[in-house]
Amino acid sequence: MPHSPEEKKKVLARIRRIRGQCEGLERALDAGADCAPVLQQIAAIRGAVNGLMSEVLESHLREQFGQAAHCDDDRAARVAEMTGLIRSYLK
Amino acid sequence: MPHSPEEKKKVLARIRRIRGQCEGLERALDAGADCAPVLQQIAAIRGAVNGLMSEVLESHLREQFGQAAHCDDDRAARVAEMTGLIRSYLK
Amino acid sequence: MPHSPEEKKKVLARIRRIRGQCEGLERALDAGADCAPVLQQIAAIRGAVNGLMSEVLESHLREQFGQAAHCDDDRAARVAEMTGLIRSYLK
Amino acid sequence: MPHSPEEKKKVLARIRRIRGQCEGLERALDAGADCAPVLQQIAAIRGAVNGLMSEVLESHLREQFGQAAHCDDDRAARVAEMTGLIRSYLK
């Protein structure tokens, strides 16, 4: 998950960007950066991680509900799984 | 929204509980409570507000995807609205 | 906490505003508001609760570090308490 | 910032751990992991980033308030800077 090559590509690009932000932060700390810009970089990473989580949830929702379910039980199971994920990760 | 009486009742009960927590916090502050328990009460309110937001999103998802869509366009519109809500409020 | 009348007044005003927002949300739900504006109101409450938590922490910091400590032990104890509060509530 | 070698070491260790978590997540996605464990890994990264932000703020507080200020103006400036940082990053 995500299954489609396009969704997977978008998610992987986000992760690589976060890794790059971590490397930039490591360099800044090694160079003795001040507290305020360091916190700004960490806040940017936090925002990017939230964006990644949202992207994965959105992508899962598109895959689970983008096509008609095969039957009522299948639909109910998908709704139950998706509400559980929202409950777990919205905080 | 939410439309069903049961969903609405659950959401209203959560809001009333949050209002009660705010009243308790006001009383604690008026009585000169210490910082640590005050912060604990605020953290409990924060948790309850996140729980309320999740409940509303879950309830909306159940209402939008609990029955088969009338047509592909309808389904696509519901998926687009729901992913937009997740993107806006997951942070 | 907070001890000074001005700090206490600011914090109480924030709590009352949050209570008012909860009452507005309750009315909106009772009137059958749509999901999107309901979520917007909840997000505003969430922001106000975070602002309240920050106000209490800032006020505590001003009271703990606004005057010189009586001795090194007193200063160390205040630093330890304040870092503990930051660790507990920054999330 | 942070200036002392011990504080710097702790912060750098946290950043490297987060980078490692990102690499693990990348591998999991490449291997076609399911949505639920992927979200769990992202939530763990989010927790680690919050822990890093808290560590940097705590370390800054120890450095700013661990010794007596040189004068009242100096103390007031440190208090103002620290409350500004709490206000910006507590959310």
mmCIF file of all heavy atoms in Angstrom, chain D residues 26-71:
data_model
loop_
_atom_site.group_PDB
_atom_site.id
_atom_site.type_symbol
_atom_site.label_atom_id
_atom_site.label_comp_id
_atom_site.label_asym_id
_atom_site.label_seq_id
_atom_site.Cartn_x
_atom_site.Cartn_y
_atom_site.Cartn_z
ATOM 1 N N GLU D 26 10.917 3.750 3.919
ATOM 2 C CA GLU D 26 11.144 3.697 2.470
ATOM 3 C C GLU D 26 11.253 2.239 2.004
ATOM 4 O O GLU D 26 10.645 1.850 1.006
ATOM 5 C CB GLU D 26 12.429 4.478 2.144
ATOM 6 C CG GLU D 26 12.451 5.058 0.744
ATOM 7 C CD GLU D 26 13.688 5.903 0.482
ATOM 8 O OE1 GLU D 26 14.102 6.675 1.391
ATOM 9 O OE2 GLU D 26 14.242 5.786 -0.621
ATOM 10 N N ARG D 27 12.019 1.457 2.748
ATOM 11 C CA ARG D 27 12.157 0.034 2.411
ATOM 12 C C ARG D 27 10.809 -0.676 2.490
ATOM 13 O O ARG D 27 10.465 -1.484 1.620
ATOM 14 C CB ARG D 27 13.143 -0.653 3.355
ATOM 15 C CG ARG D 27 14.609 -0.383 3.014
ATOM 16 C CD ARG D 27 15.533 -1.329 3.793
ATOM 17 N NE ARG D 27 15.394 -1.163 5.243
ATOM 18 C CZ ARG D 27 16.075 -0.253 5.956
ATOM 19 N NH1 ARG D 27 16.928 0.563 5.372
ATOM 20 N NH2 ARG D 27 15.899 -0.169 7.261
ATOM 21 N N ALA D 28 10.029 -0.379 3.547
ATOM 22 C CA ALA D 28 8.725 -1.030 3.708
ATOM 23 C C ALA D 28 7.810 -0.714 2.522
ATOM 24 O O ALA D 28 7.132 -1.596 1.988
ATOM 25 C CB ALA D 28 8.079 -0.584 5.020
ATOM 26 N N LEU D 29 7.807 0.553 2.105
ATOM 27 C CA LEU D 29 6.969 0.942 0.968
ATOM 28 C C LEU D 29 7.436 0.283 -0.314
ATOM 29 O O LEU D 29 6.622 -0.166 -1.130
ATOM 30 C CB LEU D 29 6.991 2.459 0.802
ATOM 31 C CG LEU D 29 5.895 3.185 1.561
ATOM 32 C CD1 LEU D 29 6.238 4.645 1.694
ATOM 33 C CD2 LEU D 29 4.558 3.002 0.840
ATOM 34 N N ASP D 30 8.750 0.238 -0.503
ATOM 35 C CA ASP D 30 9.298 -0.411 -1.700
ATOM 36 C C ASP D 30 8.896 -1.879 -1.740
ATOM 37 O O ASP D 30 8.629 -2.440 -2.799
ATOM 38 C CB ASP D 30 10.835 -0.282 -1.700
ATOM 39 C CG ASP D 30 11.298 0.882 -2.570
ATOM 40 O OD1 ASP D 30 10.603 1.182 -3.564
ATOM 41 O OD2 ASP D 30 12.332 1.490 -2.257
ATOM 42 N N ALA D 31 8.844 -2.511 -0.573
ATOM 43 C CA ALA D 31 8.504 -3.930 -0.493
ATOM 44 C C ALA D 31 6.992 -4.159 -0.543
ATOM 45 O O ALA D 31 6.534 -5.294 -0.445
ATOM 46 C CB ALA D 31 9.088 -4.518 0.789
ATOM 47 N N GLY D 32 6.212 -3.063 -0.687
ATOM 48 C CA GLY D 32 4.765 -3.225 -0.835
ATOM 49 C C GLY D 32 4.017 -3.462 0.456
ATOM 50 O O GLY D 32 3.004 -4.175 0.475
ATOM 51 N N ALA D 33 4.481 -2.863 1.556
ATOM 52 C CA ALA D 33 3.822 -3.047 2.862
ATOM 53 C C ALA D 33 2.371 -2.571 2.822
ATOM 54 O O ALA D 33 1.998 -1.725 2.021
ATOM 55 C CB ALA D 33 4.588 -2.288 3.941
ATOM 56 N N ASP D 34 1.563 -3.117 3.729
ATOM 57 C CA ASP D 34 0.155 -2.709 3.841
ATOM 58 C C ASP D 34 0.029 -1.325 4.466
ATOM 59 O O ASP D 34 0.943 -0.844 5.129
ATOM 60 C CB ASP D 34 -0.609 -3.717 4.711
ATOM 61 C CG ASP D 34 -1.029 -4.925 3.889
ATOM 62 O OD1 ASP D 34 -1.103 -4.783 2.652
ATOM 63 O OD2 ASP D 34 -1.253 -6.002 4.480
ATOM 64 N N CYS D 35 -1.163 -0.747 4.306
ATOM 65 C CA CYS D 35 -1.414 0.605 4.794
ATOM 66 C C CYS D 35 -1.269 0.714 6.313
ATOM 67 O O CYS D 35 -0.634 1.647 6.815
ATOM 68 C CB CYS D 35 -2.813 1.036 4.380
ATOM 69 S SG CYS D 35 -3.161 2.740 4.781
ATOM 70 N N ALA D 36 -1.835 -0.222 7.062
ATOM 71 C CA ALA D 36 -1.845 -0.092 8.524
ATOM 72 C C ALA D 36 -0.440 -0.040 9.117
ATOM 73 O O ALA D 36 -0.134 0.872 9.893
ATOM 74 C CB ALA D 36 -2.689 -1.208 9.148
ATOM 75 N N PRO D 37 0.467 -0.995 8.765
ATOM 76 C CA PRO D 37 1.815 -0.882 9.336
ATOM 77 C C PRO D 37 2.572 0.349 8.836
ATOM 78 O O PRO D 37 3.393 0.909 9.575
ATOM 79 C CB PRO D 37 2.517 -2.179 8.898
ATOM 80 C CG PRO D 37 1.660 -2.769 7.848
ATOM 81 C CD PRO D 37 0.272 -2.263 8.056
ATOM 82 N N VAL D 38 2.300 0.795 7.609
ATOM 83 C CA VAL D 38 2.949 2.012 7.101
ATOM 84 C C VAL D 38 2.531 3.210 7.957
ATOM 85 O O VAL D 38 3.366 4.026 8.380
ATOM 86 C CB VAL D 38 2.594 2.247 5.610
ATOM 87 C CG1 VAL D 38 2.881 3.677 5.190
ATOM 88 C CG2 VAL D 38 3.367 1.275 4.718
ATOM 89 N N LEU D 39 1.246 3.310 8.259
ATOM 90 C CA LEU D 39 0.771 4.416 9.096
ATOM 91 C C LEU D 39 1.373 4.343 10.495
ATOM 92 O O LEU D 39 1.694 5.366 11.096
ATOM 93 C CB LEU D 39 -0.758 4.410 9.172
ATOM 94 C CG LEU D 39 -1.465 4.891 7.905
ATOM 95 C CD1 LEU D 39 -2.961 4.597 7.980
ATOM 96 C CD2 LEU D 39 -1.248 6.389 7.678
ATOM 97 N N GLN D 40 1.517 3.112 11.007
ATOM 98 C CA GLN D 40 2.142 2.962 12.325
ATOM 99 C C GLN D 40 3.577 3.488 12.328
ATOM 100 O O GLN D 40 4.000 4.164 13.270
ATOM 101 C CB GLN D 40 2.172 1.488 12.718
ATOM 102 C CG GLN D 40 1.238 1.147 13.865
ATOM 103 C CD GLN D 40 1.066 -0.349 14.018
ATOM 104 O OE1 GLN D 40 1.929 -1.129 13.615
ATOM 105 N NE2 GLN D 40 -0.034 -0.769 14.599
ATOM 106 N N GLN D 41 4.310 3.179 11.251
ATOM 107 C CA GLN D 41 5.692 3.668 11.175
ATOM 108 C C GLN D 41 5.720 5.192 11.077
ATOM 109 O O GLN D 41 6.574 5.849 11.666
ATOM 110 C CB GLN D 41 6.409 3.058 9.953
ATOM 111 C CG GLN D 41 6.872 1.627 10.192
ATOM 112 C CD GLN D 41 7.642 1.069 8.996
ATOM 113 O OE1 GLN D 41 7.048 0.466 8.120
ATOM 114 N NE2 GLN D 41 8.945 1.288 8.946
ATOM 115 N N ILE D 42 4.778 5.768 10.304
ATOM 116 C CA ILE D 42 4.743 7.232 10.176
ATOM 117 C C ILE D 42 4.392 7.861 11.529
ATOM 118 O O ILE D 42 4.968 8.877 11.925
ATOM 119 C CB ILE D 42 3.735 7.669 9.094
ATOM 120 C CG1 ILE D 42 4.156 7.103 7.725
ATOM 121 C CG2 ILE D 42 3.655 9.194 9.012
ATOM 122 C CD1 ILE D 42 3.142 7.346 6.619
ATOM 123 N N ALA D 43 3.463 7.235 12.269
ATOM 124 C CA ALA D 43 3.101 7.765 13.591
ATOM 125 C C ALA D 43 4.307 7.711 14.530
ATOM 126 O O ALA D 43 4.510 8.617 15.353
ATOM 127 C CB ALA D 43 1.925 6.980 14.176
ATOM 128 N N ALA D 44 5.126 6.661 14.403
ATOM 129 C CA ALA D 44 6.331 6.563 15.242
ATOM 130 C C ALA D 44 7.304 7.684 14.888
ATOM 131 O O ALA D 44 7.934 8.286 15.773
ATOM 132 C CB ALA D 44 6.991 5.196 15.058
ATOM 133 N N ILE D 45 7.425 7.992 13.593
ATOM 134 C CA ILE D 45 8.308 9.092 13.178
ATOM 135 C C ILE D 45 7.772 10.416 13.723
ATOM 136 O O ILE D 45 8.518 11.241 14.252
ATOM 137 C CB ILE D 45 8.441 9.141 11.639
ATOM 138 C CG1 ILE D 45 9.142 7.877 11.131
ATOM 139 C CG2 ILE D 45 9.193 10.395 11.182
ATOM 140 C CD1 ILE D 45 9.198 7.748 9.618
ATOM 141 N N ARG D 46 6.451 10.605 13.627
ATOM 142 C CA ARG D 46 5.855 11.832 14.164
ATOM 143 C C ARG D 46 6.156 11.988 15.654
ATOM 144 O O ARG D 46 6.535 13.069 16.124
ATOM 145 C CB ARG D 46 4.333 11.793 13.936
ATOM 146 C CG ARG D 46 3.609 12.997 14.473
ATOM 147 C CD ARG D 46 2.183 13.077 13.962
ATOM 148 N NE ARG D 46 1.327 12.001 14.465
ATOM 149 C CZ ARG D 46 0.027 11.888 14.206
ATOM 150 N NH1 ARG D 46 -0.551 12.772 13.419
ATOM 151 N NH2 ARG D 46 -0.685 10.904 14.685
ATOM 152 N N GLY D 47 6.027 10.884 16.415
ATOM 153 C CA GLY D 47 6.354 10.934 17.838
ATOM 154 C C GLY D 47 7.819 11.287 18.067
ATOM 155 O O GLY D 47 8.145 12.069 18.963
ATOM 156 N N ALA D 48 8.701 10.740 17.233
ATOM 157 C CA ALA D 48 10.131 11.000 17.391
ATOM 158 C C ALA D 48 10.461 12.453 17.066
ATOM 159 O O ALA D 48 11.325 13.065 17.702
ATOM 160 C CB ALA D 48 10.937 10.047 16.502
ATOM 161 N N VAL D 49 9.778 13.034 16.076
ATOM 162 C CA VAL D 49 10.027 14.436 15.721
ATOM 163 C C VAL D 49 9.539 15.343 16.864
ATOM 164 O O VAL D 49 10.213 16.313 17.231
ATOM 165 C CB VAL D 49 9.353 14.809 14.382
ATOM 166 C CG1 VAL D 49 9.463 16.309 14.116
ATOM 167 C CG2 VAL D 49 9.982 14.029 13.231
ATOM 168 N N ASN D 50 8.394 15.015 17.456
ATOM 169 C CA ASN D 50 7.923 15.782 18.614
ATOM 170 C C ASN D 50 8.909 15.667 19.775
ATOM 171 O O ASN D 50 9.190 16.643 20.469
ATOM 172 C CB ASN D 50 6.535 15.310 19.055
ATOM 173 C CG ASN D 50 5.440 15.873 18.176
ATOM 174 O OD1 ASN D 50 5.593 16.943 17.588
ATOM 175 N ND2 ASN D 50 4.333 15.148 18.067
ATOM 176 N N GLY D 51 9.446 14.468 19.981
ATOM 177 C CA GLY D 51 10.437 14.270 21.042
ATOM 178 C C GLY D 51 11.700 15.093 20.788
ATOM 179 O O GLY D 51 12.279 15.662 21.716
ATOM 180 N N LEU D 52 12.097 15.179 19.530
ATOM 181 C CA LEU D 52 13.277 15.977 19.159
ATOM 182 C C LEU D 52 13.036 17.455 19.436
ATOM 183 O O LEU D 52 13.880 18.155 19.998
ATOM 184 C CB LEU D 52 13.584 15.759 17.676
ATOM 185 C CG LEU D 52 14.611 16.679 17.027
ATOM 186 C CD1 LEU D 52 15.988 16.506 17.661
ATOM 187 C CD2 LEU D 52 14.687 16.428 15.518
ATOM 188 N N MET D 53 11.846 17.935 19.052
ATOM 189 C CA MET D 53 11.529 19.347 19.278
ATOM 190 C C MET D 53 11.536 19.655 20.781
ATOM 191 O O MET D 53 12.082 20.670 21.218
ATOM 192 C CB MET D 53 10.175 19.677 18.666
ATOM 193 C CG MET D 53 9.768 21.104 18.908
ATOM 194 S SD MET D 53 8.395 21.574 17.846
ATOM 195 C CE MET D 53 9.258 22.023 16.352
ATOM 196 N N SER D 54 10.956 18.757 21.568
ATOM 197 C CA SER D 54 10.932 18.943 23.006
ATOM 198 C C SER D 54 12.361 18.952 23.559
ATOM 199 O O SER D 54 12.722 19.807 24.363
ATOM 200 C CB SER D 54 10.103 17.826 23.637
ATOM 201 O OG SER D 54 10.110 17.943 25.029
ATOM 202 N N GLU D 55 13.188 18.018 23.101
ATOM 203 C CA GLU D 55 14.584 17.932 23.576
ATOM 204 C C GLU D 55 15.325 19.244 23.309
ATOM 205 O O GLU D 55 16.063 19.741 24.172
ATOM 206 C CB GLU D 55 15.281 16.776 22.835
ATOM 207 C CG GLU D 55 16.717 16.516 23.262
ATOM 208 C CD GLU D 55 16.775 15.691 24.540
ATOM 209 O OE1 GLU D 55 16.154 14.633 24.588
ATOM 210 O OE2 GLU D 55 17.419 16.142 25.515
ATOM 211 N N VAL D 56 15.133 19.822 22.120
ATOM 212 C CA VAL D 56 15.832 21.069 21.766
ATOM 213 C C VAL D 56 15.336 22.214 22.654
ATOM 214 O O VAL D 56 16.126 23.014 23.166
ATOM 215 C CB VAL D 56 15.657 21.399 20.272
ATOM 216 C CG1 VAL D 56 16.157 22.806 19.955
ATOM 217 C CG2 VAL D 56 16.414 20.383 19.419
ATOM 218 N N LEU D 57 14.015 22.284 22.872
ATOM 219 C CA LEU D 57 13.475 23.333 23.742
ATOM 220 C C LEU D 57 13.963 23.173 25.182
ATOM 221 O O LEU D 57 14.349 24.142 25.834
ATOM 222 C CB LEU D 57 11.938 23.306 23.719
ATOM 223 C CG LEU D 57 11.251 24.080 22.598
ATOM 224 C CD1 LEU D 57 9.763 23.789 22.599
ATOM 225 C CD2 LEU D 57 11.471 25.591 22.755
ATOM 226 N N GLU D 58 13.951 21.938 25.682
ATOM 227 C CA GLU D 58 14.415 21.688 27.052
ATOM 228 C C GLU D 58 15.889 22.052 27.204
ATOM 229 O O GLU D 58 16.301 22.669 28.192
ATOM 230 C CB GLU D 58 14.256 20.207 27.407
ATOM 231 C CG GLU D 58 12.821 19.733 27.550
ATOM 232 C CD GLU D 58 12.773 18.225 27.647
ATOM 233 O OE1 GLU D 58 13.489 17.647 28.486
ATOM 234 O OE2 GLU D 58 12.039 17.596 26.856
ATOM 235 N N SER D 59 16.669 21.658 26.205
ATOM 236 C CA SER D 59 18.102 21.935 26.249
ATOM 237 C C SER D 59 18.344 23.447 26.233
ATOM 238 O O SER D 59 19.190 23.966 26.979
ATOM 239 C CB SER D 59 18.743 21.254 25.034
ATOM 240 O OG SER D 59 19.950 21.860 24.696
ATOM 241 N N HIS D 60 17.579 24.169 25.415
ATOM 242 C CA HIS D 60 17.707 25.625 25.354
ATOM 243 C C HIS D 60 17.322 26.238 26.705
ATOM 244 O O HIS D 60 17.999 27.147 27.197
ATOM 245 C CB HIS D 60 16.802 26.179 24.246
ATOM 246 C CG HIS D 60 17.085 27.602 23.910
ATOM 247 N ND1 HIS D 60 18.327 28.046 23.521
ATOM 248 C CD2 HIS D 60 16.286 28.705 23.890
ATOM 249 C CE1 HIS D 60 18.281 29.355 23.284
ATOM 250 N NE2 HIS D 60 17.058 29.782 23.508
ATOM 251 N N LEU D 61 16.280 25.739 27.313
ATOM 252 C CA LEU D 61 15.866 26.255 28.619
ATOM 253 C C LEU D 61 16.951 26.026 29.674
ATOM 254 O O LEU D 61 17.257 26.910 30.471
ATOM 255 C CB LEU D 61 14.549 25.587 29.042
ATOM 256 C CG LEU D 61 13.862 26.201 30.249
ATOM 257 C CD1 LEU D 61 12.405 26.527 29.929
ATOM 258 C CD2 LEU D 61 13.902 25.299 31.460
ATOM 259 N N ARG D 62 17.541 24.829 29.668
ATOM 260 C CA ARG D 62 18.624 24.566 30.630
ATOM 261 C C ARG D 62 19.790 25.533 30.417
ATOM 262 O O ARG D 62 20.381 26.017 31.374
ATOM 263 C CB ARG D 62 19.124 23.119 30.468
ATOM 264 C CG ARG D 62 18.246 22.078 31.163
ATOM 265 C CD ARG D 62 18.884 20.689 31.172
ATOM 266 N NE ARG D 62 18.982 20.119 29.827
ATOM 267 C CZ ARG D 62 18.062 19.320 29.274
ATOM 268 N NH1 ARG D 62 16.979 18.981 29.953
ATOM 269 N NH2 ARG D 62 18.228 18.839 28.058
ATOM 270 N N GLU D 63 20.095 25.819 29.156
ATOM 271 C CA GLU D 63 21.231 26.708 28.894
ATOM 272 C C GLU D 63 20.912 28.171 29.214
ATOM 273 O O GLU D 63 21.784 28.938 29.599
ATOM 274 C CB GLU D 63 21.670 26.564 27.433
ATOM 275 C CG GLU D 63 22.131 25.129 27.143
ATOM 276 C CD GLU D 63 22.931 25.004 25.870
ATOM 277 O OE1 GLU D 63 22.735 25.820 24.942
ATOM 278 O OE2 GLU D 63 23.753 24.080 25.797
ATOM 279 N N GLN D 64 19.654 28.564 29.036
ATOM 280 C CA GLN D 64 19.283 29.960 29.275
ATOM 281 C C GLN D 64 19.032 30.260 30.745
ATOM 282 O O GLN D 64 19.207 31.380 31.193
ATOM 283 C CB GLN D 64 18.015 30.323 28.473
ATOM 284 C CG GLN D 64 18.214 30.300 26.980
ATOM 285 C CD GLN D 64 19.190 31.376 26.523
ATOM 286 O OE1 GLN D 64 18.973 32.552 26.724
ATOM 287 N NE2 GLN D 64 20.307 30.964 25.940
ATOM 288 N N PHE D 65 18.544 29.256 31.497
ATOM 289 C CA PHE D 65 18.135 29.529 32.879
ATOM 290 C C PHE D 65 18.897 28.692 33.908
ATOM 291 O O PHE D 65 18.619 28.776 35.094
ATOM 292 C CB PHE D 65 16.622 29.329 33.038
ATOM 293 C CG PHE D 65 15.831 30.241 32.156
ATOM 294 C CD1 PHE D 65 15.210 29.767 31.001
ATOM 295 C CD2 PHE D 65 15.739 31.601 32.448
ATOM 296 C CE1 PHE D 65 14.499 30.615 30.162
ATOM 297 C CE2 PHE D 65 15.034 32.456 31.606
ATOM 298 C CZ PHE D 65 14.411 31.975 30.466
ATOM 299 N N GLY D 66 19.841 27.890 33.462
ATOM 300 C CA GLY D 66 20.609 27.046 34.378
ATOM 301 C C GLY D 66 21.592 27.856 35.226
ATOM 302 O O GLY D 66 21.973 27.425 36.315
ATOM 303 N N GLN D 67 22.032 29.011 34.719
ATOM 304 C CA GLN D 67 22.889 29.899 35.533
ATOM 305 C C GLN D 67 22.145 31.215 35.758
ATOM 306 O O GLN D 67 21.266 31.570 34.975
ATOM 307 C CB GLN D 67 24.225 30.209 34.820
ATOM 308 C CG GLN D 67 25.238 29.086 34.924
ATOM 309 C CD GLN D 67 25.042 28.105 33.778
ATOM 310 O OE1 GLN D 67 24.755 28.524 32.658
ATOM 311 N NE2 GLN D 67 25.175 26.826 34.058
ATOM 312 N N ALA D 68 22.532 31.895 36.815
ATOM 313 C CA ALA D 68 21.923 33.194 37.111
ATOM 314 C C ALA D 68 22.204 34.158 35.960
ATOM 315 O O ALA D 68 23.278 34.116 35.346
ATOM 316 C CB ALA D 68 22.489 33.745 38.411
ATOM 317 N N ALA D 69 21.207 34.990 35.636
ATOM 318 C CA ALA D 69 21.391 36.005 34.591
ATOM 319 C C ALA D 69 22.337 37.082 35.106
ATOM 320 O O ALA D 69 22.503 37.257 36.304
ATOM 321 C CB ALA D 69 20.042 36.607 34.223
ATOM 322 N N HIS D 70 22.996 37.795 34.162
ATOM 323 C CA HIS D 70 23.943 38.847 34.572
ATOM 324 C C HIS D 70 23.227 40.062 35.132
ATOM 325 O O HIS D 70 23.748 40.772 35.973
ATOM 326 C CB HIS D 70 24.813 39.257 33.379
ATOM 327 C CG HIS D 70 25.567 38.109 32.801
ATOM 328 N ND1 HIS D 70 25.367 37.644 31.534
ATOM 329 C CD2 HIS D 70 26.486 37.298 33.375
ATOM 330 C CE1 HIS D 70 26.155 36.604 31.341
ATOM 331 N NE2 HIS D 70 26.830 36.367 32.428
ATOM 332 N N CYS D 71 22.041 40.334 34.648
ATOM 333 C CA CYS D 71 21.309 41.523 35.113
ATOM 334 C C CYS D 71 19.824 41.336 34.776
ATOM 335 O O CYS D 71 19.450 40.400 34.079
ATOM 336 C CB CYS D 71 21.841 42.776 34.414
ATOM 337 S SG CYS D 71 21.633 42.702 32.625
#
